[in-house]
Amino acid sequence: MIREYVRVWRARGWMKKNMPFLISWHAYVGYELDLFKSFEKPASIEEVAAARELEYDLLKQWVEVGIILKHFKRLSGEKVRTMKKWKLPKSKSNRFSSGIILKEMMELHIPSLLAYPELLRNQTKQHFDSSVHGPTVAKTSTLLEQLAYPKVEKVMKKYNVDSVLDVGCGEAGYLRKLAKKFPHKKMVGVEVNEEVANSARKIVEEHGNIEILNKDINEYQPEDRFKLVMANNLLHYIEPDERAGFFQNAAQWIKKNGALSIITPIQKPKHGKEFSSAFNSFFMTFDNLYPVPTERDLQGFAEKSGLKMMSLDPIIKEGGWYIAVFKK
Ligand SMILES: C[S@@+](CC[C@H](N)C(=O)[O-])C[C@H]1O[C@@H](n2cnc3c(N)ncnc32)[C@H](O)[C@@H]1O
């Protein structure tokens, strides 16, 4: 009898722990189909289902959940309206929408974590298809950029930087921000994903001092050295055994007294252990993404390539995300 009671009590506990998922799921569906916008002005479910050609029952259910979560309000005459818009992700067409993180979590992180039993059983890993997920990942990186950029600007000033190389530049958000502040300094971004590189070119087209190269950094040899080399959120794309080699190459690309600046989650950090372990669990389901380094790894790579670690500062403490700066 007691055993039965404990079972139900525990099950209830798991269900309660999972409650916040409903909120994220609801916001994700709304973002993905731009549904919060569809109900910005009072509209009935029938009207939206017809106008957007959506399955009526599912839309109705999703709206019902939204009413319970207070994402929507039911009005008279079967109409519904979006509530607390400031709390919800902005439209997909808005480059600054927070919804992109929901998309990455729901389409990439959670399915990968759910694949664990199958991957474990089959003694296999999945493959990260950057042509599918590359654009989403590049966009979510711009969220971190917002917080990390001021630290990068500090490095520019401290090392009297005249030229910047950004390897794995994604949509070149850092270069774009730097170019606004330093319009006459030479900046080069290297990005392996063609779609992402093209979108980076578009984003920086007004800045004549930025050049974007669609290249693999393993096949890249710059003609000139740079005062600052950046590698932001790139290390988990590089096999742990190849990271020392990457540091050695990067050290070659840097001018004397220049700097290497690396943004990455750290494994087993002082703060943010849960986030960092969740990221690692996700990365490790892929045969072409790798666990993030520890602080000691970074120290070791630097020493082997003649660089000195000058600082390791948290960007998001609870996320275990750091910026490490090395001097040549
Ligand atoms: C997570 S994104 C980070 C983008 C950007 N650095 C940022 O922090 O916002 C990593 C980027 O590195 C690119 N990348 C991965 N391996 C690369 C390689 N070998 N050469 C060049 N780019 C690479 C990926 O395509 C992706 O766009």
Side-chain angles (χ1 to χ4, degrees):
M1 186 65 188
I2 286 184
R3 229 202 271 157
E4 278 297 284
Y5 180 76
V6 169
R7 189 170 78 107
V8 171
W9 180 76
R10 288 227 169 102
R12 184 168 165 252
W14 290 122
M15 286 180 72
K16 277 173 91 170
K17 276 205 176 85
N18 218 25
M19 267 302 295
F21 183 79
L22 187 70
I23 304 169
S24 310
W25 166 77
H26 193 267
Y28 161 70
V29 175
Y31 167 77
E32 184 56 19
L33 295 176
D34 230 346
L35 286 171
F36 295 120
K37 204 172 164 73
S38 298
F39 288 99
E40 217 166 48
K41 290 194 184 124
S44 72
I45 299 166
E46 283 90 344
E47 282 165 357
V48 173
R52 303 282 317 274
E53 297 182 9
L54 299 171
E55 210 284 331
Y56 174 78
D57 288 340
L58 290 181
L59 181 63
K60 185 166 183 288
Q61 178 54 26
W62 179 80
V63 169
E64 292 298 336
V65 175
I67 292 169
I68 293 164
L69 296 177
K70 299 198 168 43
H71 291 171
F72 288 127
K73 187 174 181 178
R74 196 189 301 282
L75 306 170
S76 57
E78 298 291 304
K79 301 256 182 194
V80 172
R81 182 165 58 83
T82 303
M83 297 251 294
K84 295 192 184 145
K85 258 176 51 193
W86 56 274
K87 253 183 146 181
L88 298 170
K90 289 204 162 46
S91 167
K92 221 176 174 184
S93 57
N94 186 326
R95 206 157 68 81
F96 299 103
S97 174
S98 62
I100 195 72
I101 194 74
L102 285 166
K103 189 173 169 72
E104 183 172 316
M105 288 189 312
M106 293 292 173
E107 295 184 5
L108 200 51
H109 296 202
I110 289 170
S112 300
L113 295 176
L114 294 182
Y116 256 73
E118 196 193 333
L119 297 174
L120 280 162
R121 253 184 232 121
N122 296 340
Q123 301 186 34
T124 184
K125 290 197 175 190
Q126 47 188 357
H127 195 74
F128 181 75
D129 185 349
S130 89
S131 65
V132 177
H133 297 296
T136 303
V137 171
K139 283 191 180 69
T140 50
S141 299
T142 62
L143 290 167
L144 184 74
E145 173 197 311
Q146 203 79 13
L147 299 169
Y149 174 75
K151 293 182 190 283
V152 174
E153 201 181 298
K154 260 195 202 158
V155 175
M156 287 288 284
K157 289 178 184 156
K158 186 166 175 193
Y159 290 85
N160 204 9
V161 170
D162 60 355
S163 49
V164 185
L165 172 67
D166 186 358
V167 287
C169 67
E171 290 191 339
Y174 288 93
L175 291 181
R176 184 170 149 264
K177 281 203 172 78
L178 285 174
K180 273 191 189 157
K181 182 88 184 174
F182 308 100
H184 304 297
K185 305 202 173 190
K186 175 184 163 182
M187 303 191 185
V188 176
V190 181
E191 170 54 52
V192 72
N193 183 307
E194 193 181 354
E195 190 182 339
V196 175
N198 286 339
S199 123
R201 279 194 194 111
K202 236 188 221 148
I203 288 170
V204 303
E205 68 190 349
E206 71 198 80
H207 302 286
N209 58 327
I210 306 181
E211 186 187 8
I212 303 291
L213 306 173
N214 177 208
K215 278 206 156 86
D216 187 324
I217 46 156
N218 298 307
E219 283 144 28
Y220 172 68
Q221 195 46 55
E223 282 160 21
D224 304 313
R225 293 186 174 196
F226 295 81
K227 198 70 187 280
L228 172 66
V229 172
M230 295 194 294
N232 300 332
N233 302 303
L234 178 74
L235 286 188
H236 54 271
Y237 286 81
I238 303 175
E239 275 189 56
D241 289 351
E242 288 174 7
R243 286 180 190 159
F246 167 74
F247 267 70
Q248 272 155 15
N249 285 341
Q252 295 302 313
W253 302 335
I254 302 171
K255 287 183 187 175
K256 196 159 182 282
N257 292 324
L260 169 65
S261 169
I262 291 205
I263 292 175
T264 182
I266 293 282
Q267 211 175 131
K268 303 197 184 100
K270 257 191 220 124
H271 313 277
K273 286 192 177 61
E274 289 93 343
F275 266 95
S276 162
S277 67
F279 262 106
N280 256 341
S281 308
F282 155 67
F283 291 148
M284 289 184 70
T285 63
F286 298 97
D287 58 9
N288 54 344
L289 292 182
Y290 310 97
V292 295
T294 61
E295 181 177 346
R296 265 182 82 167
D297 291 337
L298 292 178
Q299 292 274 16
F301 299 145
E303 274 161 29
K304 276 189 203 144
S305 37
L307 299 170
K308 186 170 175 217
M309 193 196 264
M310 305 300 286
S311 57
L312 181 69
D313 290 329
I315 295 171
I316 310 178
K317 269 192 181 162
E318 65 274 25
W321 235 287
Y322 286 74
I323 176 166
V325 180
F326 307 86
K327 189 175 173 192
K328 183 161 172 181

